[in-house]
Amino acid sequence: MEHLERIKERIEKGEKLARKSYTNKDGIAYARKERKEKYLEIAKQTGSFELHKWSNEQRDSFFNTIILNYLDFESELGNDNGSDEIL
């Protein structure tokens, strides 16, 4: 947890983290397609399709959905033995 605290401190100071990861275009396409349900749910709650009019919690929830969908895709891609076991 000490490492996490150091990262948080760096971010609070405005330091940008070095990019060491890259995305998969197919995973992005999957996540974008899967986000529609959450987007429409929040738009209905707020009466607006404009993200900047949503609360921080609603935006966080929306982006969390996108990220989880992307990670689900990547997990499936990395799952070469047909197992659902988390490694």
Side-chain angles (χ1 to χ4, degrees):
M1 294 308 253
E2 184 178 323
H3 181 63
L4 179 59
E5 291 303 317
R6 285 195 308 263
I7 292 171
K8 286 180 181 179
E9 288 173 9
R10 289 172 49 204
I11 292 170
E12 287 173 1
K13 292 177 184 175
E15 184 178 331
K16 298 282 185 184
L17 302 178
R19 175 144 310 137
K20 297 177 183 174
S21 303
Y22 296 91
T23 58
N24 174 319
K25 287 181 5 180
D26 293 334
I28 295 293
Y30 174 78
R32 189 180 64 242
K33 182 179 139 254
E34 294 296 315
R35 62 81 178 103
K36 184 176 182 180
E37 184 179 327
K38 186 67 168 180
Y39 179 80
L40 293 176
E41 174 190 320
I42 297 173
K44 185 177 180 180
Q45 289 173 358
T46 62
S48 176
F49 290 98
E50 300 172 65
L51 272 69
H52 69 274
K53 292 185 178 178
W54 298 358
S55 71
N56 285 337
E57 291 81 17
Q58 289 165 323
R59 284 193 296 270
D60 287 349
S61 177
F62 178 64
F63 288 113
N64 186 58
T65 298
I66 294 170
I67 292 166
L68 287 175
N69 283 318
Y70 178 80
L71 293 173
D72 289 345
F73 181 89
E74 290 298 315
S75 292
E76 284 293 321
L77 190 62
N79 185 5
D80 62 359
N81 65 1
S83 169
D84 286 335
E85 180 181 352
I86 297 174
L87 303 176

Coordinates of all heavy atoms in Angstrom, one line a residue:
M1 N 0.8 -1.2 0.0 CA 0.0 0.0 0.0 C 0.9 1.3 0.0 O 0.4 2.3 -0.4 CB -0.9 0.0 1.2 CG -2.0 -1.1 1.1 SD -2.9 -1.1 -0.4 CE -4.4 -0.5 0.1
E2 N 2.1 1.1 0.5 CA 3.0 2.3 0.5 C 3.2 2.8 -0.9 O 3.3 4.0 -1.2 CB 4.3 1.9 1.2 CG 5.2 3.1 1.3 CD 6.5 2.7 2.1 OE1 6.4 1.8 3.0 OE2 7.6 3.2 1.7
H3 N 3.4 1.9 -1.8 CA 3.6 2.2 -3.2 C 2.4 3.0 -3.8 O 2.6 4.0 -4.5 CB 3.8 1.0 -4.1 CG 4.1 1.2 -5.5 ND1 5.2 2.0 -6.0 CD2 3.4 0.9 -6.6 CE1 5.2 2.0 -7.3 NE2 4.1 1.4 -7.7
L4 N 1.2 2.6 -3.5 CA 0.0 3.3 -3.9 C -0.1 4.7 -3.3 O -0.4 5.6 -4.0 CB -1.3 2.5 -3.5 CG -2.6 3.1 -3.8 CD1 -2.8 3.3 -5.3 CD2 -3.7 2.2 -3.3
E5 N 0.3 4.8 -2.1 CA 0.4 6.2 -1.5 C 1.3 7.1 -2.2 O 1.1 8.3 -2.4 CB 0.7 6.1 0.0 CG -0.4 5.4 0.9 CD -1.7 6.2 0.7 OE1 -1.8 7.4 0.8 OE2 -2.8 5.5 0.6
R6 N 2.5 6.6 -2.6 CA 3.5 7.4 -3.3 C 2.9 7.8 -4.7 O 3.1 8.9 -5.1 CB 4.8 6.6 -3.5 CG 5.6 6.5 -2.2 CD 7.0 6.1 -2.5 NE 7.2 4.9 -3.2 CZ 7.3 3.7 -2.8 NH1 7.4 3.5 -1.4 NH2 7.4 2.6 -3.5
I7 N 2.2 6.9 -5.3 CA 1.6 7.3 -6.6 C 0.5 8.4 -6.4 O 0.5 9.3 -7.2 CB 1.0 6.0 -7.3 CG1 2.1 5.0 -7.7 CG2 0.1 6.4 -8.5 CD1 1.6 3.7 -8.2
K8 N -0.3 8.2 -5.4 CA -1.3 9.2 -5.1 C -0.7 10.6 -4.9 O -1.2 11.6 -5.3 CB -2.2 8.8 -3.9 CG -3.2 7.7 -4.2 CD -3.9 7.4 -2.9 CE -4.9 6.3 -3.1 NZ -5.6 5.9 -1.9
E9 N 0.4 10.6 -4.1 CA 1.1 11.9 -3.8 C 1.6 12.5 -5.1 O 1.5 13.7 -5.3 CB 2.3 11.6 -2.8 CG 1.8 11.3 -1.4 CD 3.0 10.9 -0.5 OE1 4.2 11.0 -0.9 OE2 2.7 10.5 0.6
R10 N 2.2 11.7 -6.0 CA 2.7 12.2 -7.2 C 1.6 12.8 -8.1 O 1.7 13.9 -8.7 CB 3.4 11.1 -8.0 CG 4.7 10.7 -7.4 CD 5.3 9.4 -8.1 NE 5.4 9.5 -9.5 CZ 5.4 8.5 -10.3 NH1 5.4 7.2 -9.8 NH2 5.4 8.6 -11.6
I11 N 0.5 12.2 -8.1 CA -0.7 12.7 -8.9 C -1.2 14.0 -8.3 O -1.5 14.9 -9.0 CB -1.8 11.6 -8.9 CG1 -1.3 10.4 -9.8 CG2 -3.1 12.2 -9.5 CD1 -2.2 9.2 -9.7
E12 N -1.3 14.0 -6.9 CA -1.8 15.2 -6.3 C -0.9 16.4 -6.5 O -1.3 17.5 -6.6 CB -1.9 15.0 -4.8 CG -3.0 14.1 -4.4 CD -3.0 13.7 -2.9 OE1 -2.1 14.1 -2.2 OE2 -4.0 13.0 -2.5
K13 N 0.4 16.1 -6.8 CA 1.4 17.2 -7.1 C 1.3 17.6 -8.6 O 2.0 18.5 -9.0 CB 2.8 16.7 -6.8 CG 3.1 16.6 -5.3 CD 4.5 16.1 -5.1 CE 4.7 15.8 -3.6 NZ 6.1 15.2 -3.4
G14 N 0.4 16.9 -9.3 CA 0.3 17.3 -10.7 C 1.2 16.5 -11.7 O 1.3 16.8 -12.8
E15 N 1.9 15.6 -11.1 CA 2.9 14.8 -12.0 C 2.1 13.8 -12.8 O 1.2 13.1 -12.4 CB 3.8 14.0 -11.1 CG 4.9 13.3 -11.8 CD 5.9 12.6 -10.9 OE1 6.1 13.1 -9.7 OE2 6.4 11.5 -11.3
K16 N 2.5 13.7 -14.1 CA 1.9 12.8 -15.0 C 2.6 11.4 -14.9 O 3.8 11.4 -14.8 CB 2.0 13.3 -16.5 CG 1.3 14.5 -16.7 CD -0.2 14.3 -16.9 CE -0.9 15.6 -17.3 NZ -2.3 15.4 -17.3
L17 N 1.9 10.4 -14.9 CA 2.5 9.0 -14.9 C 3.0 8.7 -16.3 O 2.3 9.0 -17.3 CB 1.4 8.0 -14.4 CG 0.8 8.3 -13.0 CD1 -0.2 7.2 -12.7 CD2 1.9 8.3 -11.9
A18 N 4.1 8.0 -16.3 CA 4.7 7.6 -17.6 C 3.7 6.5 -18.2 O 3.2 5.6 -17.6 CB 6.0 7.0 -17.4
R19 N 3.6 6.6 -19.5 CA 2.7 5.6 -20.3 C 3.6 4.4 -20.5 O 4.6 4.5 -21.2 CB 2.2 6.2 -21.6 CG 1.5 5.2 -22.4 CD 0.3 5.7 -23.2 NE -0.6 6.5 -22.4 CZ -1.2 7.6 -22.8 NH1 -0.9 8.0 -24.0 NH2 -2.0 8.3 -22.1
K20 N 3.1 3.3 -20.0 CA 3.8 2.0 -20.1 C 2.9 1.0 -20.7 O 3.3 -0.2 -20.9 CB 4.4 1.5 -18.8 CG 5.4 2.5 -18.2 CD 5.9 2.0 -16.9 CE 6.9 3.0 -16.3 NZ 7.2 2.7 -14.9
S21 N 1.6 1.3 -20.9 CA 0.6 0.4 -21.4 C 0.1 0.9 -22.8 O 0.1 2.1 -23.0 CB -0.5 0.3 -20.4 OG 0.0 -0.1 -19.2
Y22 N -0.5 0.0 -23.5 CA -1.1 0.3 -24.8 C -2.4 -0.4 -24.9 O -2.6 -1.5 -24.3 CB -0.2 0.0 -26.0 CG 1.1 0.8 -25.9 CD1 2.2 0.4 -25.3 CD2 1.1 2.1 -26.4 CE1 3.4 1.1 -25.2 CE2 2.2 2.9 -26.4 CZ 3.4 2.4 -25.7 OH 4.5 3.2 -25.6
T23 N -3.3 0.1 -25.7 CA -4.6 -0.5 -25.8 C -4.7 -1.3 -27.1 O -3.9 -1.2 -28.0 CB -5.7 0.6 -25.8 OG1 -5.5 1.5 -26.9 CG2 -5.8 1.4 -24.5
N24 N -5.8 -2.1 -27.1 CA -6.1 -3.0 -28.2 C -7.3 -2.4 -28.9 O -8.3 -2.2 -28.3 CB -6.4 -4.4 -27.6 CG -6.9 -5.4 -28.7 OD1 -7.6 -5.1 -29.5 ND2 -6.4 -6.6 -28.5
K25 N -7.2 -2.2 -30.2 CA -8.3 -1.5 -31.0 C -9.6 -2.4 -30.9 O -10.7 -1.8 -30.8 CB -7.9 -1.3 -32.4 CG -6.9 -0.2 -32.6 CD -6.5 0.1 -34.0 CE -7.0 -0.6 -35.1 NZ -6.5 -0.1 -36.4
D26 N -9.5 -3.7 -30.9 CA -10.7 -4.5 -30.8 C -11.3 -4.4 -29.4 O -12.5 -4.4 -29.3 CB -10.3 -6.0 -31.1 CG -9.9 -6.2 -32.5 OD1 -10.3 -5.4 -33.4 OD2 -9.2 -7.2 -32.8
G27 N -10.5 -4.3 -28.4 CA -11.0 -4.2 -27.0 C -11.7 -2.8 -26.8 O -12.7 -2.7 -26.2
I28 N -11.1 -1.8 -27.4 CA -11.7 -0.5 -27.4 C -13.1 -0.5 -28.1 O -14.1 0.0 -27.6 CB -10.8 0.6 -28.1 CG1 -9.5 0.8 -27.3 CG2 -11.6 1.9 -28.2 CD1 -9.7 1.4 -25.9
A29 N -13.2 -1.1 -29.2 CA -14.4 -1.2 -30.0 C -15.5 -2.0 -29.1 O -16.6 -1.6 -29.1 CB -14.2 -1.9 -31.3
Y30 N -15.1 -3.1 -28.5 CA -16.0 -3.8 -27.6 C -16.5 -3.0 -26.5 O -17.7 -2.9 -26.2 CB -15.3 -5.1 -27.1 CG -16.1 -5.8 -26.1 CD1 -17.2 -6.6 -26.5 CD2 -15.9 -5.7 -24.7 CE1 -18.0 -7.3 -25.6 CE2 -16.7 -6.4 -23.8 CZ -17.7 -7.2 -24.3 OH -18.5 -7.9 -23.4
A31 N -15.6 -2.3 -25.8 CA -15.9 -1.4 -24.6 C -16.9 -0.3 -25.1 O -17.8 0.0 -24.4 CB -14.7 -0.9 -24.0
R32 N -16.6 0.3 -26.2 CA -17.4 1.4 -26.7 C -18.9 0.9 -27.0 O -19.8 1.5 -26.7 CB -16.8 2.0 -28.0 CG -17.5 3.3 -28.4 CD -16.9 3.9 -29.6 NE -17.0 3.0 -30.8 CZ -15.9 2.4 -31.4 NH1 -14.7 2.7 -31.1 NH2 -16.1 1.6 -32.5
K33 N -18.9 -0.3 -27.6 CA -20.2 -0.9 -27.9 C -21.0 -1.2 -26.7 O -22.2 -1.0 -26.6 CB -20.0 -2.1 -28.8 CG -21.3 -2.8 -29.2 CD -20.9 -4.0 -30.1 CE -21.8 -5.2 -29.7 NZ -21.4 -6.3 -29.0
E34 N -20.3 -1.8 -25.7 CA -21.0 -2.2 -24.5 C -21.4 -1.1 -23.5 O -22.2 -1.3 -22.6 CB -20.1 -3.2 -23.7 CG -19.9 -4.5 -24.5 CD -21.2 -5.3 -24.6 OE1 -21.9 -5.4 -23.7 OE2 -21.4 -5.8 -25.8
R35 N -20.9 0.1 -23.7 CA -21.2 1.2 -22.8 C -22.5 1.8 -23.0 O -23.0 2.6 -22.2 CB -20.1 2.3 -22.9 CG -19.9 3.0 -24.2 CD -20.8 4.1 -24.5 NE -20.6 4.8 -25.7 CZ -21.3 4.6 -26.8 NH1 -22.3 3.7 -26.9 NH2 -21.1 5.4 -27.8
K36 N -23.2 1.5 -24.1 CA -24.4 2.2 -24.5 C -25.5 2.1 -23.4 O -26.2 3.1 -23.1 CB -25.0 1.6 -25.8 CG -26.2 2.3 -26.3 CD -26.6 1.8 -27.6 CE -27.8 2.6 -28.1 NZ -28.3 2.1 -29.4
E37 N -25.7 0.9 -22.8 CA -26.7 0.7 -21.8 C -26.5 1.7 -20.6 O -27.5 2.3 -20.1 CB -26.7 -0.7 -21.3 CG -27.8 -1.0 -20.4 CD -27.8 -2.5 -20.0 OE1 -27.5 -3.4 -20.8 OE2 -28.2 -2.8 -18.8
K38 N -25.3 1.7 -20.1 CA -25.0 2.6 -19.0 C -25.2 4.1 -19.3 O -25.7 4.9 -18.5 CB -23.5 2.4 -18.5 CG -23.2 3.1 -17.2 CD -24.0 2.6 -16.1 CE -23.5 3.0 -14.7 NZ -24.3 2.5 -13.6
Y39 N -24.7 4.5 -20.5 CA -24.9 5.8 -21.0 C -26.3 6.2 -21.0 O -26.7 7.3 -20.5 CB -24.3 5.9 -22.4 CG -24.4 7.3 -23.0 CD1 -23.5 8.3 -22.7 CD2 -25.4 7.6 -24.0 CE1 -23.6 9.6 -23.2 CE2 -25.5 8.9 -24.5 CZ -24.6 9.9 -24.2 OH -24.7 11.1 -24.7
L40 N -27.2 5.4 -21.6 CA -28.6 5.7 -21.7 C -29.3 5.7 -20.3 O -30.1 6.6 -20.0 CB -29.3 4.7 -22.6 CG -28.9 4.8 -24.0 CD1 -29.6 3.7 -24.8 CD2 -29.3 6.1 -24.6
E41 N -28.8 4.9 -19.4 CA -29.3 4.8 -18.0 C -29.0 6.2 -17.3 O -29.9 6.8 -16.7 CB -28.7 3.7 -17.2 CG -29.0 3.7 -15.8 CD -28.1 2.6 -15.0 OE1 -27.9 1.6 -15.6 OE2 -27.7 3.0 -13.9
I42 N -27.8 6.7 -17.4 CA -27.5 7.9 -16.7 C -28.1 9.1 -17.5 O -28.6 10.0 -16.8 CB -25.9 8.1 -16.7 CG1 -25.3 7.0 -15.8 CG2 -25.6 9.4 -16.1 CD1 -23.8 6.9 -15.8
A43 N -28.2 9.1 -18.8 CA -28.8 10.2 -19.5 C -30.3 10.3 -19.1 O -30.8 11.4 -18.9 CB -28.7 9.9 -21.0
K44 N -31.0 9.1 -18.9 CA -32.3 9.2 -18.4 C -32.5 9.7 -17.0 O -33.3 10.5 -16.7 CB -32.9 7.7 -18.4 CG -34.4 7.6 -18.1 CD -34.9 6.2 -18.2 CE -36.4 6.2 -17.9 NZ -36.9 4.8 -18.0
Q45 N -31.5 9.4 -16.1 CA -31.5 9.9 -14.7 C -31.3 11.4 -14.7 O -32.0 12.1 -13.9 CB -30.4 9.3 -13.9 CG -30.5 7.8 -13.6 CD -29.3 7.3 -12.9 OE1 -28.3 8.0 -12.8 NE2 -29.3 6.0 -12.5
T46 N -30.5 11.9 -15.6 CA -30.1 13.3 -15.5 C -30.9 14.2 -16.5 O -31.0 15.4 -16.3 CB -28.6 13.5 -15.9 OG1 -28.4 13.1 -17.3 CG2 -27.7 12.8 -15.0
G47 N -31.6 13.5 -17.5 CA -32.3 14.3 -18.5 C -31.4 14.9 -19.5 O -31.8 15.9 -20.2
S48 N -30.1 14.5 -19.5 CA -29.2 15.1 -20.4 C -28.2 14.0 -21.0 O -27.8 13.1 -20.3 CB -28.3 16.1 -19.7 OG -27.3 16.6 -20.6
F49 N -27.9 14.1 -22.3 CA -26.9 13.3 -22.9 C -25.5 13.9 -22.9 O -24.6 13.3 -23.4 CB -27.3 13.0 -24.4 CG -28.6 12.1 -24.5 CD1 -29.8 12.7 -24.7 CD2 -28.5 10.8 -24.4 CE1 -30.9 11.9 -24.9 CE2 -29.6 10.0 -24.5 CZ -30.8 10.5 -24.7
E50 N -25.4 15.0 -22.2 CA -24.1 15.7 -22.2 C -23.4 15.4 -20.9 O -23.9 15.7 -19.8 CB -24.4 17.2 -22.2 CG -25.1 17.7 -23.5 CD -25.5 19.1 -23.5 OE1 -24.6 20.0 -23.4 OE2 -26.7 19.4 -23.5
L51 N -22.2 14.7 -21.0 CA -21.5 14.2 -19.9 C -21.1 15.3 -18.9 O -21.1 15.1 -17.7 CB -20.2 13.5 -20.3 CG -20.3 12.0 -20.6 CD1 -21.1 11.7 -21.8 CD2 -18.9 11.4 -20.7
H52 N -20.8 16.5 -19.4 CA -20.4 17.6 -18.5 C -21.6 18.1 -17.6 O -21.3 18.8 -16.6 CB -19.8 18.8 -19.3 CG -20.8 19.5 -20.1 ND1 -21.1 19.2 -21.4 CD2 -21.5 20.7 -19.8 CE1 -22.0 20.0 -21.8 NE2 -22.3 20.9 -20.9
K53 N -22.8 17.6 -17.9 CA -23.9 18.0 -17.0 C -24.2 16.9 -16.0 O -25.1 17.1 -15.1 CB -25.2 18.2 -17.9 CG -25.1 19.5 -18.7 CD -26.3 19.8 -19.5 CE -26.2 21.0 -20.3 NZ -27.4 21.3 -21.1
W54 N -23.5 15.8 -16.0 CA -23.6 14.7 -15.1 C -22.8 15.0 -13.8 O -21.9 15.8 -13.9 CB -23.2 13.4 -15.7 CG -23.9 12.9 -16.9 CD1 -25.0 13.5 -17.5 CD2 -23.7 11.7 -17.7 NE1 -25.4 12.8 -18.6 CE2 -24.6 11.7 -18.7 CE3 -22.7 10.7 -17.6 CZ2 -24.6 10.6 -19.6 CZ3 -22.7 9.7 -18.5 CH2 -23.7 9.7 -19.5
S55 N -23.2 14.4 -12.7 CA -22.4 14.5 -11.5 C -21.1 13.8 -11.7 O -21.0 12.9 -12.5 CB -23.2 14.0 -10.3 OG -23.2 12.6 -10.4
N56 N -20.1 14.1 -10.8 CA -18.9 13.4 -10.8 C -19.1 11.9 -10.6 O -18.4 11.0 -11.2 CB -17.9 13.9 -9.8 CG -17.3 15.2 -10.2 OD1 -17.2 15.6 -11.3 ND2 -16.9 16.0 -9.2
E57 N -20.0 11.5 -9.7 CA -20.3 10.1 -9.4 C -20.8 9.4 -10.7 O -20.5 8.3 -11.0 CB -21.3 10.0 -8.3 CG -20.7 10.4 -6.9 CD -20.7 11.9 -6.7 OE1 -21.4 12.6 -7.4 OE2 -20.0 12.4 -5.8
Q58 N -21.7 10.1 -11.4 CA -22.3 9.5 -12.6 C -21.2 9.3 -13.7 O -21.2 8.3 -14.4 CB -23.4 10.3 -13.1 CG -24.7 10.3 -12.2 CD -25.7 11.3 -12.5 OE1 -25.3 12.5 -12.8 NE2 -26.9 11.0 -12.4
R59 N -20.3 10.3 -13.8 CA -19.3 10.2 -14.8 C -18.3 9.1 -14.4 O -17.9 8.3 -15.3 CB -18.5 11.5 -15.0 CG -19.3 12.6 -15.8 CD -18.4 13.7 -16.2 NE -17.9 14.5 -15.0 CZ -18.5 15.5 -14.5 NH1 -19.7 16.0 -15.0 NH2 -18.0 16.2 -13.5
D60 N -18.0 9.0 -13.1 CA -17.1 7.9 -12.7 C -17.7 6.6 -13.0 O -17.0 5.6 -13.4 CB -16.8 8.1 -11.2 CG -15.9 9.2 -10.8 OD1 -15.3 9.8 -11.8 OD2 -15.7 9.5 -9.6
S61 N -19.0 6.4 -12.7 CA -19.7 5.2 -13.0 C -19.7 4.8 -14.4 O -19.4 3.7 -14.8 CB -21.1 5.3 -12.5 OG -21.8 4.1 -12.8
F62 N -19.9 5.8 -15.3 CA -19.8 5.6 -16.7 C -18.5 5.2 -17.2 O -18.3 4.2 -17.9 CB -20.3 6.9 -17.5 CG -20.3 6.8 -19.0 CD1 -21.1 5.9 -19.6 CD2 -19.4 7.6 -19.7 CE1 -21.1 5.8 -21.0 CE2 -19.4 7.5 -21.1 CZ -20.2 6.6 -21.7
F63 N -17.4 5.9 -16.8 CA -16.1 5.5 -17.2 C -15.6 4.2 -16.6 O -14.9 3.4 -17.2 CB -15.1 6.6 -16.9 CG -15.2 7.8 -17.8 CD1 -15.7 9.0 -17.3 CD2 -15.0 7.8 -19.1 CE1 -15.9 10.1 -18.1 CE2 -15.1 8.8 -19.9 CZ -15.6 10.0 -19.4
N64 N -16.1 3.9 -15.4 CA -15.8 2.6 -14.8 C -16.4 1.5 -15.6 O -15.7 0.5 -15.9 CB -16.4 2.6 -13.4 CG -16.0 1.3 -12.6 OD1 -14.8 1.0 -12.5 ND2 -17.0 0.6 -12.2
T65 N -17.6 1.7 -16.2 CA -18.2 0.7 -17.0 C -17.4 0.5 -18.3 O -17.2 -0.7 -18.7 CB -19.6 1.1 -17.4 OG1 -20.4 1.2 -16.2 CG2 -20.3 0.1 -18.3
I66 N -16.9 1.5 -18.9 CA -16.1 1.4 -20.1 C -14.8 0.6 -19.8 O -14.4 -0.3 -20.5 CB -15.8 2.8 -20.7 CG1 -17.0 3.5 -21.2 CG2 -14.7 2.7 -21.8 CD1 -16.9 4.9 -21.5
I67 N -14.2 1.0 -18.7 CA -12.9 0.4 -18.3 C -13.1 -1.1 -18.0 O -12.3 -2.0 -18.5 CB -12.2 1.1 -17.2 CG1 -11.8 2.5 -17.6 CG2 -11.1 0.3 -16.6 CD1 -11.4 3.4 -16.5
L68 N -14.1 -1.4 -17.3 CA -14.4 -2.8 -17.0 C -14.7 -3.6 -18.2 O -14.3 -4.8 -18.3 CB -15.6 -2.9 -16.0 CG -15.2 -2.5 -14.5 CD1 -16.5 -2.6 -13.7 CD2 -14.1 -3.4 -14.0
N69 N -15.5 -3.1 -19.1 CA -15.7 -3.8 -20.4 C -14.5 -4.0 -21.2 O -14.3 -5.1 -21.7 CB -16.8 -3.0 -21.2 CG -18.2 -3.2 -20.7 OD1 -18.6 -4.3 -20.3 ND2 -18.9 -2.1 -20.7
Y70 N -13.6 -3.1 -21.2 CA -12.3 -3.2 -21.9 C -11.5 -4.3 -21.2 O -10.9 -5.2 -21.9 CB -11.5 -1.9 -21.9 CG -10.1 -2.1 -22.6 CD1 -10.0 -2.1 -24.0 CD2 -9.0 -2.3 -21.8 CE1 -8.8 -2.3 -24.6 CE2 -7.8 -2.5 -22.4 CZ -7.7 -2.5 -23.8 OH -6.5 -2.7 -24.4
L71 N -11.4 -4.3 -19.9 CA -10.7 -5.3 -19.1 C -11.3 -6.7 -19.3 O -10.6 -7.7 -19.4 CB -10.5 -4.9 -17.7 CG -9.7 -3.7 -17.4 CD1 -9.8 -3.3 -15.9 CD2 -8.2 -3.9 -17.8
D72 N -12.6 -6.8 -19.4 CA -13.3 -8.1 -19.7 C -12.8 -8.6 -21.0 O -12.5 -9.8 -21.1 CB -14.8 -7.9 -19.7 CG -15.4 -7.7 -18.3 OD1 -14.7 -7.9 -17.3 OD2 -16.6 -7.2 -18.3
F73 N -12.7 -7.8 -22.0 CA -12.3 -8.2 -23.3 C -10.8 -8.7 -23.3 O -10.5 -9.8 -23.8 CB -12.4 -7.0 -24.3 CG -12.0 -7.4 -25.7 CD1 -12.9 -7.9 -26.6 CD2 -10.6 -7.2 -26.1 CE1 -12.4 -8.3 -27.9 CE2 -10.2 -7.6 -27.4 CZ -11.1 -8.1 -28.3
E74 N -10.0 -8.0 -22.6 CA -8.6 -8.3 -22.5 C -8.4 -9.6 -21.7 O -7.5 -10.4 -22.0 CB -7.7 -7.2 -21.9 CG -7.6 -6.0 -22.8 CD -6.9 -6.3 -24.1 OE1 -5.8 -7.0 -24.1 OE2 -7.4 -5.9 -25.2
S75 N -9.2 -9.8 -20.7 CA -9.1 -11.0 -19.9 C -9.5 -12.2 -20.7 O -8.9 -13.3 -20.7 CB -10.1 -11.0 -18.7 OG -9.6 -10.0 -17.8
E76 N -10.6 -12.1 -21.6 CA -10.9 -13.2 -22.5 C -9.8 -13.4 -23.5 O -9.5 -14.6 -23.8 CB -12.2 -12.8 -23.2 CG -13.5 -12.9 -22.4 CD -13.8 -14.4 -22.0 OE1 -13.6 -15.3 -22.8 OE2 -14.2 -14.6 -20.8
L77 N -9.2 -12.4 -24.0 CA -8.1 -12.6 -24.9 C -7.0 -13.3 -24.3 O -6.3 -14.2 -25.0 CB -7.7 -11.2 -25.4 CG -6.7 -11.1 -26.6 CD1 -7.4 -11.7 -27.8 CD2 -6.4 -9.6 -26.8
G78 N -6.7 -13.0 -23.1 CA -5.6 -13.7 -22.4 C -5.9 -15.0 -21.8 O -5.0 -15.8 -21.4
N79 N -7.2 -15.4 -21.9 CA -7.6 -16.7 -21.4 C -7.5 -17.7 -22.4 O -8.5 -18.0 -23.1 CB -9.0 -16.5 -20.9 CG -9.6 -17.8 -20.2 OD1 -8.8 -18.7 -20.0 ND2 -10.8 -17.7 -19.8
D80 N -6.3 -18.3 -22.6 CA -6.1 -19.3 -23.7 C -6.5 -20.7 -23.3 O -6.4 -21.6 -24.2 CB -4.7 -19.2 -24.2 CG -3.7 -19.6 -23.1 OD1 -4.1 -19.9 -22.0 OD2 -2.5 -19.5 -23.5
N81 N -6.8 -21.0 -22.1 CA -7.1 -22.4 -21.7 C -8.6 -22.6 -21.5 O -9.0 -23.7 -21.0 CB -6.3 -22.8 -20.5 CG -6.6 -22.0 -19.3 OD1 -7.5 -21.2 -19.3 ND2 -6.0 -22.3 -18.2
G82 N -9.4 -21.6 -21.7 CA -10.9 -21.8 -21.5 C -11.3 -21.7 -20.1 O -12.5 -22.0 -19.8
S83 N -10.4 -21.4 -19.2 CA -10.8 -21.3 -17.8 C -11.2 -19.9 -17.4 O -10.8 -19.0 -18.0 CB -9.5 -21.7 -16.9 OG -9.8 -21.4 -15.6
D84 N -12.1 -19.8 -16.4 CA -12.6 -18.5 -15.9 C -11.8 -18.1 -14.7 O -12.1 -17.2 -14.0 CB -14.0 -18.6 -15.6 CG -14.9 -18.6 -16.8 OD1 -14.5 -18.1 -17.9 OD2 -16.1 -19.1 -16.7
E85 N -10.7 -18.9 -14.4 CA -9.9 -18.7 -13.2 C -9.1 -17.3 -13.3 O -8.6 -17.0 -14.4 CB -8.9 -19.8 -13.0 CG -8.0 -19.6 -11.8 CD -7.0 -20.8 -11.7 OE1 -7.1 -21.7 -12.5 OE2 -6.1 -20.6 -10.9
I86 N -9.2 -16.5 -12.3 CA -8.4 -15.3 -12.2 C -7.0 -15.6 -11.8 O -6.8 -16.2 -10.8 CB -9.1 -14.3 -11.3 CG1 -10.5 -13.9 -11.8 CG2 -8.2 -13.0 -11.2 CD1 -11.2 -13.0 -10.8
L87 N -6.1 -15.2 -12.6 CA -4.7 -15.6 -12.3 C -4.0 -14.4 -11.5 O -4.3 -13.3 -11.7 CB -3.9 -15.8 -13.6 CG -4.5 -16.9 -14.5 CD1 -3.7 -17.0 -15.8 CD2 -4.5 -18.2 -13.8

